[in-house]
Amino acid sequence: MSDFKPKSDFLRVLNERGYIHQCSDFAGLDEKARKERITAYVGYDCTAPSLHIGNLISAMMLHWLQQTGHRPITLMGGGTTRVGDPSGKDETRKLLTVDQIEVNKNSIKGVFSRFLNYGASSNGAIMVDNAEWLTKLNYIDMLRDIGRHFSINRMLTMDSVKLRLEREQELSFIEFNYMILQSYDFVELSRMHDCCLQMGALINGVTLSMVLSSVAAWDRNNYMH
Amino acid sequence: MGSQQLYALTTPLLTTASGAKMGKTASGAVWLNADLFSPYDYWQYWRNTEDADVSRFLKLFTVLPLDEVARLAALSGSEINEAKKVLATEATALLHGREAADEAAETARKTFEQGVAADTLPTVAISRIELDAGIGVLTAFVMAGLVPSTGEARRQIQGGGLRVNDNLVSDPRAVLREADLRDGAIKLSMGKKRHILLKPE
């Protein structure tokens, strides 16, 4: 990032203030953000009744995104939290009940209005919940449309998976699905809200390229023919 | 609809200058909801920022213009504490509103004036080797003589009575380490009036 001099207000502010670690394509994103209003999202899981200080950075990035004229989406993981993120955990998370997740979600939501405006303006923030689309997925359709774009070989190289395997700790199939569902969110947001950017602390390099290629392939298969 | 180009942007993993993961303090997780972590505790959390982190945190966690950040970051010696107060008040105002932030700053000022200036507090020596290995928070309060037993320390934590470096302790399993040192000592408090500094030697 050090050599890159962004021309868009959005990346310039983010860069100056120290929010950026890596980007899949600095030049491409910079050019797009300079030319048009973009839509970007951050996903938040609903495992606790409040966000914590580790979530502040991404909330601030959404804040600056909006301040520089673009549209933020806060994605509540009402659906993905039902599956559970395997990363950073030595063992399977205890599954939260749907009720608990709902309670957590409602308790988390309020804090975002401190950082973002959810008004009706052209770049007013949007809040969505991935339970909206994930709970409606049909298993066979999902395997056919999405599953075939995911390489098991590559998924096995991901840190969250690799560590469990190396330590011979149980990794259940439900957790293995987390990254697929998370990737599918991007597809859905791209279709529904013309969202082109995901921001966050932990977007594993392998996942990222996998997401991007599978999204592209998925879109081609479903919309281009 | 065609497949539009998609992008991803990642943030640096945040650690403090001494290498600790942010938000993992002896006091447990730093929540954003006020009912789980009060505006005053939030203000104190930022006030306890290490010198070397002040500039970076002002940029990341406040919306102050960068020239103002540069001015504050250039302060040195005891003046850096003024920059930390600005950081604390601005970060708290962003999350909890200006009124709550000013109130927290005022409470902190009063508490300080009530004779708890850090250098006048009683000190208890601890071994550096012990601190390197990590001292359980319950044990630390016993060592400081603030409670007679770890059981009592645990009860005090449940009642919200113990603080480490002015931050409320919520996790009885928390461990004090070198990263918890502020100006060479760790401040332990029971209630509002009893304070001890643990100093490694």
Side-chain angles (χ1 to χ4, degrees), chain B:
Chain B
M1 154 164 181
S3 57
Q4 70 160 323
Q5 178 68 49
L6 301 176
Y7 306 90
L9 196 59
T10 61
T11 66
L13 189 65
L14 264 201
T15 52
T16 65
S18 57
K21 197 175 163 193
M22 264 197 88
K24 297 282 175 194
T25 66
S27 18
V30 177
W31 301 109
L32 302 190
N33 283 16
D35 55 341
L36 296 174
F37 203 79
S38 74
Y40 177 69
D41 287 326
Y42 194 72
W43 191 94
Q44 283 294 353
Y45 174 81
W46 293 109
R47 171 65 184 80
N48 283 324
T49 296
E50 294 172 47
D51 291 3
D53 288 327
V54 171
S55 166
R56 193 163 55 110
F57 287 3
L58 280 167
K59 284 187 219 161
L60 290 171
F61 300 113
T62 77
V63 292
L64 290 176
L66 290 179
D67 49 358
E68 176 67 4
V69 171
R71 189 188 68 78
L72 290 164
L75 298 175
S76 59
S78 60
E79 282 191 317
I80 191 82
N81 288 328
E82 292 311 308
K84 291 180 188 178
K85 285 178 199 166
V86 173
L87 167 64
T89 304
E90 292 304 312
T92 307
L94 200 55
L95 181 63
H96 296 298
R98 181 62 59 184
E99 201 179 321
D102 288 343
E103 208 173 289
E106 180 59 15
T107 306
R109 190 186 63 78
K110 279 187 191 149
T111 310
F112 186 78
E113 279 176 357
Q114 279 160 11
V116 290
D119 49 358
T120 65
L121 294 178
T123 299
V124 170
I126 54 171
S127 94
R128 166 83 54 185
I129 297 163
E130 232 176 326
L131 184 63
D132 285 347
I135 302 173
V137 70
L138 300 175
T139 308
F141 275 88
V142 176
M143 288 163 79
L146 287 168
V147 290
S149 65
T150 53
E152 177 57 21
R154 192 184 296 273
R155 274 188 294 279
Q156 287 290 339
I157 287 173
Q158 280 165 1
L162 302 187
R163 285 172 189 267
V164 172
N165 294 327
D166 300 317
N167 289 316
L168 197 64
V169 181
S170 57
D171 181 6
R173 289 162 306 175
V175 176
L176 304 186
R177 300 184 190 281
E178 205 184 344
D180 295 303
L181 289 174
R182 300 286 176 272
D183 302 320
I186 301 173
K187 183 178 168 192
L188 303 186
S189 312
M190 183 161 97
K192 286 226 186 297
K193 297 215 170 103
R194 297 185 60 202
H195 311 278
I196 296 285
L197 292 181
L198 288 186
K199 267 194 185 154
E201 56 184 26

Side-chain angles (χ1 to χ4, degrees), chain A:
Chain A
M1 187 64 210
S2 53
D3 309 334
F4 186 69
K5 298 267 179 288
K7 292 187 189 70
S8 64
D9 287 345
F10 169 53
L11 283 186
R12 187 178 47 75
V13 170
L14 249 49
N15 186 38
E16 281 173 353
R17 301 190 77 103
Y19 292 102
I20 301 177
H21 178 226
Q22 292 177 316
C23 180
S24 57
D25 175 7
F26 274 122
L29 179 60
D30 189 42
E31 175 68 9
K32 193 171 170 71
R34 198 176 58 80
K35 283 198 310 211
E36 56 192 271
R37 193 198 69 201
I38 64 166
T39 300
Y41 82 101
V42 175
Y44 296 92
D45 79 10
C46 304
T47 49
S50 167
L51 297 184
H52 55 83
I53 210 159
N55 302 118
L56 260 189
I57 294 248
S58 65
M60 291 301 292
M61 290 169 90
L62 290 174
H63 169 85
W64 289 115
L65 174 86
Q66 189 169 45
Q67 292 303 309
T68 52
H70 305 287
R71 186 171 64 160
I73 297 178
T74 41
L75 172 66
M76 304 302 291
T80 33
T81 305
R82 294 190 202 179
V83 171
D85 181 359
S87 61
K89 292 279 164 188
D90 282 346
E91 51 193 41
T92 303
R93 278 174 196 260
K94 198 165 102 326
L95 276 184
L96 296 175
T97 66
V98 174
D99 286 347
Q100 276 174 312
I101 293 168
E102 196 62 21
V103 167
N104 287 345
K105 190 179 79 189
N106 290 324
S107 173
I108 287 170
K109 272 180 173 176
V111 84
F112 290 112
S113 59
R114 295 287 184 181
F115 301 94
L116 305 170
N117 296 317
Y118 287 89
S121 66
S122 62
N123 71 332
I126 306 171
M127 187 166 316
V128 289
D129 178 354
N130 60 18
E132 202 183 302
W133 52 84
L134 294 182
T135 54
K136 288 181 195 141
L137 285 175
N138 171 295
Y139 195 60
I140 297 292
D141 287 346
M142 190 188 110
L143 290 177
R144 289 173 59 92
D145 292 342
I146 306 165
R148 69 185 158 129
H149 301 300
F150 277 79
S151 156
I152 293 285
N153 310 54
R154 291 176 71 187
M155 287 168 77
L156 290 177
T157 67
M158 309 228 347
D159 284 346
S160 59
V161 173
K162 213 168 57 181
L163 280 177
R164 291 269 188 95
L165 294 180
E166 278 168 7
R167 296 177 186 167
E168 296 187 3
Q169 284 160 337
E170 187 78 5
L171 176 73
S172 71
F173 184 64
I174 183 172
E175 292 176 285
F176 198 58
N177 275 266
Y178 185 83
M179 56 185 119
I180 298 178
L181 297 181
Q182 218 180 17
S183 316
Y184 180 70
D185 285 342
F186 207 164
V187 177
E188 197 63 34
L189 291 173
S190 147
R191 286 169 50 205
M192 276 196 320
H193 297 292
D194 202 23
C195 177
C196 70
L197 171 64
Q198 182 188 9
M199 303 193 290
L202 291 170
I203 306 172
N204 183 298
V206 181
T207 332
L208 176 59
S209 58
M210 193 161 62
V211 170
L212 299 182
S213 60
S214 56
V215 165
W218 195 83
D219 259 3
R220 261 198 312 281
N221 286 310
N222 287 277
Y223 298 101
M224 301 295 275
H225 58 66

